[in-house]
Each structure stands twice: as C-alpha cells, then as structure tokens.
Amino acid sequence: LPISIVALTADATPETRAKCLEAGMNDCLTKPIDRPKLLAWLDAFQANRVDRAVADAPKPEGEPIMADAGEPLERRALRDLESLGGREFVDQIVDQFVSDAAGVLKELSHAVAQGDAVAFREQAHALRSCAANVGARQMFEMCLSLRAINVSEIAVRGEEHMRELEQRFERTRAALGR
C-alpha cells in the first residue's frame, strides 16, 4: 500500500488545510490533538485503506481475494506474508496473533463486565489490527462494526458480541492451524 501523509498543524484555517491537500497529503488535522477524534479518524482511514487495497488488488483466476461467508481467512494475506519473510516468518506472525488475540479477548470480556465502553473500543481496535495482519477478515469486520459501541450497547449486547468474537477467533485459529 502507498504511504499516507497526514499533516498536524496549529493553524485551523481552511487555507492551511487546502495547502496540505494540494501538497499531496491525505489529510490535515489540527492541534490540540483530540484523542477520540484522532482514533476515529485512524479507524475510518484504516478501514478505507483496507477496502481500497482489497478492491485494487489483482484477482488471481479462480481464487477469491475476500474470505467468503464460511471462510474466516483471506489465505492470500498469509501467502503475501510468506513472500515477504518466508514460512518461519508467517509461523511467528500467526503465533503472535493467536497469543495477542487471546489476551485482547480477555481484556474485552473485562471491559464488558465493567461496562467500560472506552476500554472496549480500545481493545476492539487492537484486535482489529491483529486480525488485519493475518487476513482474519471476519474478525476485522466485526471489530470495525464495534468501533463506536457505547455503554448501553455493552450493557444490552456486550456478552453476545463477546460470544460472536470468540467464535470468530476459534474459527480463525482453526483455519490458521490448517
């Protein structure tokens, strides 16, 4: 994927923003840094970047780029990783994913038990990033859909979301084992 450049400036004028965009930057954010706004921007940017990359990627004959509804992995993502660093590299990435995702799922469960929407969103963001690295599209998409979860949603459907995330993780882990 191409490198993206975002300007960070104290000058909030429309002229400065226009100059940043004219200079080829992807966006222009102003100081002071508003953490929730920055995280929301990064989430939207990453989702758009992943969607663009998938749409723009060449599609080999007879092989879908995207995981279908029953397949938790985009196997092409694993092949791409292997082409970067070899089989051992992929094994290390997969092992790290399984370990990290299991820990993040525990943190997500804790956030649900505490009704902590901020912690839940932060941990879902971390899990989404891990999932993207190994092509776990179903997990990625679910975490993406939870990026704006609030306290009332956690209270009403938090445990349901956790069960679904854990099921997706187990399907992904089993597919990675193959």
Side-chain angles (χ1 to χ4, degrees):
L1 293 173
I3 294 174
S4 300
I5 301 172
V6 178
L8 181 61
T9 179
D11 185 352
T13 63
E15 294 82 15
T16 297
R17 179 172 176 69
K19 285 180 187 177
C20 291
L21 298 175
E22 287 171 14
M25 295 180 193
N26 296 84
D27 208 342
C28 181
L29 302 178
T30 57
K31 295 179 187 175
I33 297 172
D34 178 346
R35 187 170 188 261
K37 183 178 178 181
L38 178 61
L39 290 174
W41 184 91
L42 289 170
D43 285 346
F45 179 77
Q46 180 66 22
N48 183 40
R49 191 171 155 195
V50 168
D51 291 344
R52 247 191 357 256
V54 168
D56 295 344
K59 294 169 180 58
E61 299 259 339
E63 178 186 355
I65 294 291
M66 300 297 294
D68 65 27
E71 175 60 37
L73 286 176
E74 294 174 17
R75 298 217 174 262
R76 180 150 188 241
L78 296 172
R79 284 195 303 278
D80 289 347
L81 286 171
E82 187 170 5
S83 71
L84 287 173
R87 185 71 218 161
E88 187 175 310
F89 175 69
V90 173
D91 291 343
Q92 290 172 351
I93 296 291
V94 166
D95 289 346
Q96 190 67 52
F97 164 75
V98 170
S99 174
D100 289 351
V104 171
L105 285 167
K106 287 179 185 173
E107 293 296 322
L108 282 164
S109 288
H110 181 72
V112 167
Q114 299 298 313
D116 187 342
V118 172
F120 188 94
R121 287 191 302 265
E122 288 173 356
Q123 293 302 317
H125 179 84
L127 185 58
R128 187 174 73 240
S129 296
C130 292
N133 289 337
V134 296
R137 184 65 179 200
Q138 290 178 358
M139 288 183 68
F140 174 87
E141 288 173 351
M142 183 167 183
C143 290
L144 187 62
S145 75
L146 296 171
R147 72 177 177 252
I149 195 167
N150 59 32
V151 173
S152 61
E153 174 80 2
I154 286 177
V156 174
R157 297 190 58 218
E159 290 180 12
E160 178 185 336
H161 291 315
M162 284 308 306
R163 280 191 301 277
E164 177 65 22
L165 272 173
E166 288 166 351
Q167 289 170 355
R168 289 179 186 217
F169 173 63
E170 289 306 321
R171 288 191 302 262
T172 300
R173 186 165 60 177
L176 287 168
R178 295 190 298 264

